[in-house]
Amino acid sequence: MPVYEYVGPAEIRDSIPLEGGCRVRSTEDLERFMASREPDERGELFTFVIDVSGDLRVAPRRSEHVACAGGGMVLAAGEIGFSPSAGRWAVTYASNQSTGYCPSPTSWPAVRRALEQAGIEPGSGFTHPVIFRRCITCQEWNTVKELFFVCVFCDSDLPQQETR
């Protein structure tokens, strides 16, 4: 399983507290996290990471992924939404949208495993998968949109296949 290190701007990582998000190992942990949020925030998306020990960590959406991860490497990162469903929590939205870690859509199994271990219904995969590619020419990370594999920074072609 790939491990992702932070690839975002150093000035972001260096300017924020790297406290780590709320570790969610059970539905009780998720209940406590949700109870700590304002009522109108509970229906929003949250920042999440799966840390290298396989645990889900969540933080408010405007949090940086590197802060949620406590500055460490991750197995997955993105945005996630939850809803109570049939007496248990279920994921209503999940993406690998993290420009700080640029995880592959293939990181989903780590997310599914962490959610299942916590007793949360994961769904069948990322509801909004994102493709990231690093430009071979300028070394910048890009979000590939509409399968247009061209670097937005230098206009070079991006690799079609993942090259980590």
Side-chain angles (χ1 to χ4, degrees), residues 45-92:
L45 300 180
F46 298 97
T47 294
F48 85 89
V49 299
I50 306 300
D51 64 24
V52 292
S53 62
D55 290 331
L56 171 66
R57 291 175 175 241
V58 293
R61 185 177 194 185
R62 289 151 205 70
S63 303
E64 293 291 335
H65 288 94
V66 68
C68 188
M73 295 189 290
V74 300
L75 302 177
E79 295 180 328
I80 196 163
F82 303 100
S83 177
S85 174
R88 68 184 284 198
W89 286 96
V91 171
T92 57

Side-chain angles (χ1 to χ4, degrees), residues 104-117:
S104 168
T106 62
S107 64
W108 173 253
V111 178
R112 183 184 65 241
R113 191 172 309 111
L115 291 165
E116 287 174 345
Q117 287 175 352

Side-chain angles (χ1 to χ4, degrees), residues 131-133 142-152 155-162:
I131 299 170
F132 295 100
R133 290 293 184 270
N142 288 257
T143 302
V144 175
K145 295 181 180 172
E146 298 180 16
L147 300 178
F148 189 63
F149 287 83
V150 176
C151 179
V152 298
D155 230 16
S156 295
D157 289 339
L158 295 171
Q160 294 284 318
Q161 302 298 314
E162 212 169 344

